[in-house]
Amino acid sequence: QVQLQQSGAELAKPGSSVKISCKASGYTFTSYYISWIKQTTGQGLEYIGYINTGSGGTNYNEKFKGKATLTVDKSSSTAFMQLSSLTPDDSAVYYCARGVVPFDYWGQGVMVTVSS
Amino acid sequence: DIQMTQSPSSLPASLGDRVTITCRASQDIGNYLRWFQQKPGKSPRLMIYGATNLANGVPSRFSGSRSGSDYSLTINSLESEDMAIYYCLQHNEYPYTFGAGTKLELK
């Protein structure tokens, strides 16, 4: 069955970076893009961008350019998102989802907490 | 960016009720509209795609419709398992944008 397994919760200090992962199984990894979505209580759901899992090409929401960097490791069927120069506003749950839009399968989410 | 104005933000309802949640798009999005259900501590679940099509495994009491720039999710004969937050998503124009959510709760 299709699964997207994300890495564990992160506690990070302001100014630092974190890299979270999304390991896919149960389907051909390179047949679907992977999207990333941010969820906060205040801002709701925000689309960060997506990565072409075959070519590594990316497309970012302008709001997240410079904040998020999407990469992929085809050999392990894993997508990654690095968040840099963290501030408290980056505290959120981050989801990966299959496809640019389908979103038929989601990871379980990773809670990132930015605090000194 | 396209704004998706979702209403109401909170919807108290009783079991067996028929309820409707609406999203209004700030510009034309065609039928590029999806609805998601999210329960506490869980990931969103795709319910409706293409504005009116039921996703796999979704009960037939759920339906989606469109009237101009207004998109609606209707649940007939509400069940306890339907209590959740519902979000719309437009994917006609990048960046894709979500509605703010509607919390469906027992009256």
Side-chain angles (χ1 to χ4, degrees):
Chain A
Q1 70 282 20
V2 174
Q3 283 192 318
L4 297 175
Q5 182 67 38
Q6 296 187 242
S7 48
E10 298 271 3
L11 174 60
K13 294 194 181 305
S16 68
S17 299
V18 295
K19 189 172 185 178
I20 59 181
S21 65
C22 171
K23 183 173 176 58
S25 60
Y27 71 98
T28 301
F29 181 63
T30 52
S31 294
Y32 294 85
Y33 291 18
I34 292 287
S35 293
W36 292 86
I37 298 98
K38 176 183 182 182
Q39 184 169 36
T40 59
T41 304
Q43 297 296 317
L45 292 161
E46 296 180 278
Y47 190 90
I48 295 171
Y50 63 80
I51 186 164
N52 180 328
T53 52
S55 69
T58 55
N59 194 347
Y60 296 94
N61 180 344
E62 197 69 30
K63 178 178 179 179
F64 293 94
K65 283 184 179 177
K67 171 61 62 180
T69 302
L70 307 182
T71 57
V72 67
D73 176 9
K74 290 188 287 186
S75 68
S76 64
S77 299
T78 303
F80 300 91
M81 178 172 68
Q82 179 162 317
L83 299 168
S84 60
S85 303
L86 291 169
T87 73
D89 286 345
D90 298 317
S91 295
V93 176
Y94 292 88
Y95 292 100
C96 61
R98 191 174 77 162
V100 174
V101 176
F103 293 172
D104 50 355
Y105 291 94
W106 295 61
Q108 81 274 24
V110 175
M111 180 170 290
V112 174
T113 304
V114 182
S115 174
S116 55
Chain B
D1 298 359
I2 294 176
Q3 304 301 314
M4 300 300 297
T5 303
Q6 189 170 342
S7 61
S9 57
S10 176
L11 182 52
S14 301
L15 298 181
D17 280 357
R18 180 174 186 265
V19 298
T20 296
I21 299 165
T22 298
C23 274
R24 174 168 292 175
S26 63
Q27 58 193 76
D28 180 43
I29 61 169
N31 284 334
Y32 294 99
L33 188 287
R34 296 182 171 224
W35 289 97
F36 295 87
Q37 174 195 69
Q38 188 177 32
K39 295 183 178 181
K42 299 293 187 181
S43 307
R45 173 193 177 190
L46 178 64
M47 305 299 281
I48 300 285
Y49 66 94
T52 61
N53 302 292
L54 219 56
N56 286 342
V58 175
S60 59
R61 62 182 180 275
F62 288 85
S63 63
S65 62
R66 173 191 177 187
S67 176
S69 60
D70 289 342
Y71 299 81
S72 296
L73 173 71
T74 297
I75 311 172
N76 286 303
S77 192
L78 204 59
E79 298 191 9
S80 57
E81 66 183 30
D82 302 333
M83 301 306 153
I85 300 176
Y86 292 84
Y87 297 93
C88 62
L89 164 72
Q90 71 79 21
H91 58 99
N92 181 67
E93 182 179 290
Y94 202 77
Y96 308 135
T97 47
F98 291 85
T102 295
K103 186 173 185 180
L104 184 54
E105 50 196 0
L106 280 176
K107 192 182 292 183

